[in-house]
Amino acid sequence: MPPAAAPALIDKIVLANRILYRQGVVDAFGHVSARHDRSPDHFLLSRNMAPGLVRRDDVVTFDLEGAALDAGERRVYLERFIHAEIYRARPDVQAVVHSHSPSVIPFGVTQQPLRPVFHMCGFLGDGTSLFEIRDVAGDTDMLISNGRLGAALAATLGAGTTVLMRGHGSTVVGASIEQAVYRAIYAEVNARLQIQARQLGDVTYLSAGEAAKAAAVNDTQLPRVWDLWTREVGKID
Amino acid sequence: MPPAAAPALIDKIVLANRILYRQGVVDAFGHVSARHDRSPDHFLLSRNMAPGLVRRDDVVTFDLEGAALDAGERRVYLERFIHAEIYRARPDVQAVVHSHSPSVIPFGVTQQPLRPVFHMCGFLGDGTSLFEIRDVAGDTDMLISNGRLGAALAATLGAGTTVLMRGHGSTVVGASIEQAVYRAIYAEVNARLQIQARQLGDVTYLSAGEAAKAAAVNDTQLPRVWDLWTREVGKID
Amino acid sequence: MPPAAAPALIDKIVLANRILYRQGVVDAFGHVSARHDRSPDHFLLSRNMAPGLVRRDDVVTFDLEGAALDAGERRVYLERFIHAEIYRARPDVQAVVHSHSPSVIPFGVTQQPLRPVFHMCGFLGDGTSLFEIRDVAGDTDMLISNGRLGAALAATLGAGTTVLMRGHGSTVVGASIEQAVYRAIYAEVNARLQIQARQLGDVTYLSAGEAAKAAAVNDTQLPRVWDLWTREVGKID
Amino acid sequence: MPPAAAPALIDKIVLANRILYRQGVVDAFGHVSARHDRSPDHFLLSRNMAPGLVRRDDVVTFDLEGAALDAGERRVYLERFIHAEIYRARPDVQAVVHSHSPSVIPFGVTQQPLRPVFHMCGFLGDGTSLFEIRDVAGDTDMLISNGRLGAALAATLGAGTTVLMRGHGSTVVGASIEQAVYRAIYAEVNARLQIQARQLGDVTYLSAGEAAKAAAVNDTQLPRVWDLWTREVGKID
């Protein structure tokens, strides 16, 4: 069991859950984790519950096998392996958001990548990858419920920021909680805009150069938007 | 007249009404019932009123002919026969939701079945059935206002979870109130996603195996989502 | 100047304004009137202001020339002639709603009639009529700002319930305030459903017989839905 | 440093920020400015922060080079050059709104102009212009972050009211804060309607004559709608 994580990190995880709920990215389902700040082979994730209700006492410590170290009687998420295997495969990743955000789902089920429509979504680069679970395990319940499926998902994510999961949702990663939450919210925004733009005609997406430059600027704006979102959720406990 | 139903069941019916209203599945119209827990040939349904305003005292006891046993002066729903005939035809069904949830209606009027787009909607199986009232009774006011129409609707529902009603709305059933409410809410979500996905390209729906497995897992999550929805509606009376 | 209208009628006009605003049918613009209950050649309409802010003292009496009898210093709506000329042409009409409700506007600008998609919209009959102001007066500011334009609009409405106004919005009429408000709200709902249904395939609309029968039943439900809408707007003043 | 601007002007800038946020035109990003009322070569713009949180003390004075005269420690917007160069190029313009309002973005990325669908949007005239930043500076981060890019944007705006910015958002101008805010809000409304109308069929837009006449009338209604929007945001500080 690693030493206690910094209280500020626990607070950010609680805030992230509440922000994602308020922004409509998660509903009763979906989850956000952060790599443990004192031990890179561990991560922090709420117990199995609706994200909008998460409190400080709900945050549980996990290892990269997906084993909970301090859950006690509390149930854990079936899909903690999404987080575990991404932290294992990606030493650069410090936070992970898994959601069923509504506008993104249509892209996974039609094998269309999200591509950056506007400058706020430069992190989408030259397009998202798609995880097709049938290719890995035939007919399943669609959930990443063990390490093998988690590793397959992480392999599909590769070095990217966002992986679509056919018939399920999506997962985004970040170098910080703020960045992962920003990406989850703006992936949803981008999806909505991309559906509408496709109805009007051929879409000019950001070029690779534009996407990279815009993403760099967006990252400098993270404190500003995190501040607004934090104020909107109010006090946490 | 059967013995009094368990207060907990009455409470769930009230909560179900309020949840469905808050989630936008019902508006001033629509209704949810439960089979009587002390008498399988009876069911419980609010008196004729807007679902969002239902209170404990509004719940009325009916038999399978659609006759109210304790309505007193209170008016009853014209379409109580939807519930009566489904309880008669389906001994496994313990709750029924009838609504005009907006995203589902376009499917009925274009003869397109709802098919499961993502794992939360496994209960849709290989697609919904469609009840075309003209085939049964020519030009009508579209309402299931007698036992004969109710029986025809139940026959179209067959062994399924969801039946679309052309030019009207839809009806979903469940083995519990929680399951029926979940299905009504997620049928609406699925419909919205299916319309958007169709705009992007050919849709990969859940296979029969995926749908069955996903539905089984969803049922284990019912307490979690029912808890969230219950908290959101607050106190009932 | 006719005798004072019944206070209950004034209250209904205030409620109607607030309900239409809360339901998103009117925004800062749009208006609802009622024929004077003591004098059929007069009608009651708010002074020129945002409908969501209307109070009892804002209701003004007009004659069928569109002249205000008790406005005092208060400004009147440029488009009072919509109401005046419809009351003149249609002795059966007791209330009129003019709005720019958003989902209806696309139909006017593409010359597509609203047709009843589901049973709540039987009043749409075999389709709405379309008023093209260019045919009457060439290039205008699109407003029904005099009696001649109002009469032309009323002629296009004919014996119907709903007339679309190209590049502007729509106007619905009713035999009571409750019915006119219901129709304005459900015209908007129908428009939204019709756009979505058209994206899925060929649409089966209500037949003429279905529309008439459904409309008759809807009218019996007006008290129930008016009660819900009234509760939602709360106290008026 | 010019003399202090009128307090009423500062108040309007604060209100404008709050209104645009509440109306969904700006989110954590976007900004609105006004030309200084005592010095036409200066303008007033909030410091770099989320528009919905702007208070009187956040308003900063700038010259037309985009230099802040009284920012102190406060950070300024990267894109203040949008405002600076438009005030330089357009002596008639007294207010500028830059936003990423969601329904407008799809038009920029498909090279489709916004065209007036209904009378509230007469200011769109015969269509918006489109600023393609690649034509000016190749691969960028999409931001108007210097005077050269601002001047290019202003040149594309020309004598118009609205310029779309591919892969970014849009900018509207006005002869007053009220007019610029109105135009930003109704550009978003028009975009939404135009997408829906295009799904139904060929669209009849306002003719040049209709657009001009309707715009003139809309301008007389600005006090009414500004009053409603102001009431909705409540007290400012």
Side-chain angles (χ1 to χ4, degrees):
Chain A
M1 181 77 193
L9 183 61
I10 302 295
D11 279 6
K12 270 192 193 171
I13 291 169
V14 175
L15 282 166
N17 273 284
R18 306 279 186 91
I19 288 168
L20 290 167
Y21 178 66
R22 195 176 185 286
Q23 294 286 330
V25 171
V26 301
D27 52 0
F29 302 94
H31 21 84
V32 48
S33 69
R35 194 186 296 266
H36 199 293
D37 60 327
R38 304 261 167 93
S39 174
D41 288 341
H42 293 88
F43 64 94
L44 301 153
L45 172 67
S46 165
R47 65 176 174 93
N48 187 323
M49 66 183 290
L53 302 176
V54 169
R55 305 170 67 198
R56 290 186 185 102
D57 291 347
D58 296 310
V59 181
V60 174
T61 310
F62 292 84
D63 66 21
L64 299 192
E65 306 304 313
L69 305 189
D70 56 1
E73 295 298 318
R74 299 174 295 177
R75 291 183 54 210
V76 294
Y77 288 119
L78 295 168
E79 296 201 285
R80 59 202 181 275
F81 303 95
I82 293 174
H83 306 262
E85 294 300 329
I86 287 174
Y87 289 123
R88 186 200 305 283
R90 290 281 298 272
D92 63 303
V93 166
Q94 301 299 318
V96 178
V97 177
H98 167 62
S99 80
H100 312 155
S101 77
S103 304
V104 175
I105 289 172
F107 286 83
V109 298
T110 53
Q111 292 82 46
Q112 309 271 333
L114 290 187
R115 296 183 57 191
V117 172
F118 77 137
H119 65 311
M120 301 298 288
C121 299
F123 68 90
L124 293 173
D126 61 355
T128 52
S129 50
L130 175 65
F131 179 68
E132 173 49 77
I133 200 169
R134 272 187 214 159
D135 294 344
V136 182
D139 269 358
T140 65
D141 59 13
M142 311 305 287
L143 301 180
I144 306 299
S145 51
N146 60 53
R148 175 173 166 258
L149 290 169
L153 178 68
T156 303
L157 172 67
T161 61
T162 310
V163 54
L164 305 189
M165 303 158 70
R166 193 272 306 169
H168 186 164
S170 56
T171 296
V172 303
V173 303
S176 64
I177 289 177
E178 292 92 331
Q179 192 186 56
V181 167
Y182 173 96
R183 287 171 169 179
I185 291 170
Y186 276 93
E188 171 66 14
V189 172
N190 194 88
R192 204 177 309 144
L193 296 180
Q194 199 174 335
I195 292 173
Q196 293 184 313
R198 289 273 301 270
Q199 289 169 25
L200 287 175
D202 291 330
V203 183
T204 299
Y205 296 101
L206 299 190
S207 69
E210 287 172 339
K213 292 184 180 187
V217 173
N218 297 150
D219 286 339
T220 69
Q221 298 295 308
L222 285 173
R224 170 167 147 195
V225 60
W226 182 259
D227 178 60
L228 176 69
W229 290 334
T230 303
R231 287 173 187 250
E232 289 176 343
V233 299
K235 277 180 87 71
I236 62 170
D237 47 0
Chain B
M1 182 78 193
L9 183 61
I10 302 295
D11 278 8
K12 271 192 194 172
I13 291 168
V14 175
L15 282 167
N17 274 282
R18 306 276 187 93
I19 288 168
L20 290 167
Y21 177 64
R22 196 176 183 285
Q23 295 285 330
V25 171
V26 301
D27 52 1
F29 302 93
H31 20 83
V32 48
S33 69
R35 195 186 295 266
H36 199 293
D37 59 328
R38 304 262 167 92
S39 174
D41 289 341
H42 292 89
F43 64 94
L44 300 154
L45 172 68
S46 164
R47 65 175 175 94
N48 187 324
M49 64 183 293
L53 302 176
V54 168
R55 305 171 68 196
R56 291 187 184 100
D57 290 346
D58 295 310
V59 180
V60 174
T61 311
F62 292 84
D63 66 21
L64 298 192
E65 305 305 311
L69 305 188
D70 56 1
E73 295 298 317
R74 300 176 292 177
R75 291 183 55 209
V76 294
Y77 288 119
L78 294 169
E79 295 201 284
R80 57 202 181 278
F81 302 95
I82 293 175
H83 305 262
E85 294 301 327
I86 287 175
Y87 289 123
R88 186 199 307 282
R90 291 282 296 271
D92 63 302
V93 166
Q94 301 299 318
V96 178
V97 177
H98 168 62
S99 80
H100 312 154
S101 77
S103 304
V104 175
I105 289 172
F107 287 83
V109 298
T110 53
Q111 291 82 44
Q112 309 271 332
L114 290 187
R115 296 183 58 191
V117 171
F118 76 136
H119 65 310
M120 302 298 289
C121 300
F123 69 90
L124 292 172
D126 62 356
T128 53
S129 50
L130 175 66
F131 178 68
E132 172 51 77
I133 200 170
R134 272 188 214 158
D135 294 344
V136 181
D139 269 357
T140 66
D141 58 14
M142 311 304 287
L143 300 180
I144 306 299
S145 50
N146 59 54
R148 175 172 165 260
L149 290 170
L153 178 68
T156 303
L157 171 69
T161 62
T162 311
V163 54
L164 306 190
M165 302 156 72
R166 192 273 305 170
H168 186 163
S170 55
T171 297
V172 303
V173 303
S176 64
I177 289 177
E178 292 92 330
Q179 192 186 57
V181 167
Y182 173 96
R183 288 172 168 178
I185 290 170
Y186 276 94
E188 172 65 17
V189 171
N190 194 87
R192 205 177 308 142
L193 296 180
Q194 200 174 335
I195 291 173
Q196 292 184 315
R198 288 273 302 268
Q199 289 170 24
L200 287 175
D202 292 329
V203 183
T204 299
Y205 297 100
L206 298 190
S207 67
E210 287 172 339
K213 293 185 180 187
V217 172
N218 297 151
D219 286 340
T220 70
Q221 300 294 309
L222 285 174
R224 169 167 148 196
V225 61
W226 181 258
D227 178 61
L228 176 69
W229 289 335
T230 303
R231 288 173 187 251
E232 287 176 344
V233 298
K235 276 180 87 70
I236 62 170
D237 46 359
Chain C
M1 178 81 191
L9 183 60
I10 302 295
D11 279 6
K12 272 192 193 171
I13 291 169
V14 175
L15 282 166
N17 274 282
R18 306 277 187 93
I19 288 167
L20 291 167
Y21 177 65
R22 196 176 183 286
Q23 293 287 329
V25 171
V26 301
D27 52 0
F29 302 93
H31 21 84
V32 47
S33 69
R35 194 186 294 267
H36 198 294
D37 60 328
R38 304 263 167 93
S39 173
D41 288 341
H42 293 88
F43 64 93
L44 300 153
L45 172 67
S46 165
R47 64 174 176 94
N48 186 324
M49 65 184 291
L53 303 176
V54 168
R55 305 170 69 197
R56 291 186 184 100
D57 290 347
D58 296 310
V59 181
V60 174
T61 311
F62 293 84
D63 65 23
L64 299 191
E65 305 304 314
L69 305 188
D70 57 0
E73 296 297 319
R74 300 175 293 177
R75 292 183 55 210
V76 294
Y77 287 120
L78 293 169
E79 296 201 285
R80 58 202 181 277
F81 303 94
I82 292 174
H83 305 263
E85 294 300 328
I86 287 175
Y87 288 123
R88 185 199 306 282
R90 290 282 296 272
D92 63 302
V93 166
Q94 301 299 318
V96 178
V97 177
H98 168 61
S99 81
H100 312 153
S101 76
S103 305
V104 175
I105 289 172
F107 287 83
V109 297
T110 53
Q111 291 81 47
Q112 310 270 334
L114 290 187
R115 296 182 59 191
V117 171
F118 77 135
H119 66 311
M120 302 298 289
C121 299
F123 68 91
L124 292 173
D126 63 355
T128 53
S129 51
L130 174 66
F131 179 68
E132 172 51 77
I133 199 169
R134 271 187 215 158
D135 294 344
V136 182
D139 268 359
T140 65
D141 58 14
M142 310 305 286
L143 301 180
I144 306 299
S145 50
N146 59 55
R148 176 172 165 259
L149 290 170
L153 178 68
T156 303
L157 171 68
T161 62
T162 310
V163 54
L164 306 190
M165 301 157 72
R166 192 275 304 170
H168 186 164
S170 55
T171 296
V172 303
V173 303
S176 65
I177 289 177
E178 292 92 330
Q179 192 187 56
V181 167
Y182 173 97
R183 287 171 170 179
I185 291 170
Y186 276 94
E188 172 66 15
V189 171
N190 193 87
R192 206 177 307 144
L193 297 180
Q194 199 174 335
I195 291 174
Q196 292 184 316
R198 287 274 300 268
Q199 290 170 23
L200 288 176
D202 291 330
V203 182
T204 299
Y205 296 100
L206 299 189
S207 67
E210 288 172 339
K213 293 186 180 186
V217 172
N218 297 150
D219 285 340
T220 69
Q221 300 293 309
L222 286 174
R224 169 168 148 194
V225 60
W226 181 259
D227 178 60
L228 176 68
W229 290 335
T230 303
R231 288 173 186 251
E232 287 176 345
V233 297
K235 277 179 89 67
I236 62 168
D237 47 358
Chain D
M1 179 79 193
L9 182 62
I10 302 294
D11 279 6
K12 271 193 194 171
I13 291 169
V14 176
L15 283 167
N17 274 282
R18 306 277 186 92
I19 289 168
L20 291 167
Y21 177 65
R22 195 177 184 285
Q23 294 286 330
V25 171
V26 300
D27 52 0
F29 302 94
H31 21 85
V32 48
S33 70
R35 195 187 294 266
H36 198 294
D37 60 328
R38 304 262 167 91
S39 174
D41 289 342
H42 293 89
F43 64 94
L44 301 153
L45 172 67
S46 163
R47 63 176 175 93
N48 187 324
M49 65 184 290
L53 303 176
V54 169
R55 304 170 70 197
R56 291 186 184 101
D57 290 346
D58 296 310
V59 181
V60 174
T61 311
F62 293 83
D63 65 23
L64 299 190
E65 306 303 312
L69 305 189
D70 56 0
E73 296 299 317
R74 301 174 293 178
R75 291 182 55 209
V76 294
Y77 287 120
L78 296 168
E79 297 201 284
R80 58 202 182 277
F81 304 94
I82 293 174
H83 306 262
E85 293 301 328
I86 287 175
Y87 289 123
R88 186 199 305 283
R90 291 282 296 272
D92 62 303
V93 165
Q94 301 299 318
V96 178
V97 177
H98 168 62
S99 80
H100 313 156
S101 77
S103 305
V104 175
I105 289 172
F107 287 84
V109 297
T110 53
Q111 291 81 46
Q112 309 271 331
L114 289 187
R115 296 183 59 190
V117 171
F118 77 136
H119 64 314
M120 302 298 289
C121 298
F123 68 91
L124 292 173
D126 61 356
T128 53
S129 51
L130 175 66
F131 179 67
E132 172 50 77
I133 199 169
R134 271 187 214 158
D135 294 344
V136 182
D139 269 358
T140 66
D141 59 14
M142 310 305 286
L143 300 180
I144 306 300
S145 52
N146 59 54
R148 176 171 165 260
L149 291 169
L153 178 68
T156 303
L157 171 68
T161 62
T162 311
V163 55
L164 306 190
M165 302 157 72
R166 192 274 305 169
H168 185 164
S170 55
T171 296
V172 303
V173 302
S176 64
I177 289 178
E178 292 92 330
Q179 192 187 57
V181 167
Y182 173 98
R183 287 171 170 179
I185 290 170
Y186 276 94
E188 172 66 15
V189 172
N190 194 88
R192 204 176 310 144
L193 297 180
Q194 200 174 333
I195 292 174
Q196 293 184 314
R198 289 273 301 269
Q199 291 170 24
L200 287 175
D202 292 329
V203 182
T204 300
Y205 297 100
L206 298 191
S207 68
E210 288 172 339
K213 292 184 180 187
V217 172
N218 297 150
D219 285 340
T220 68
Q221 299 294 309
L222 286 174
R224 169 167 149 195
V225 60
W226 181 259
D227 178 59
L228 176 68
W229 289 334
T230 303
R231 289 171 185 252
E232 287 176 344
V233 298
K235 276 178 89 68
I236 61 169
D237 48 358

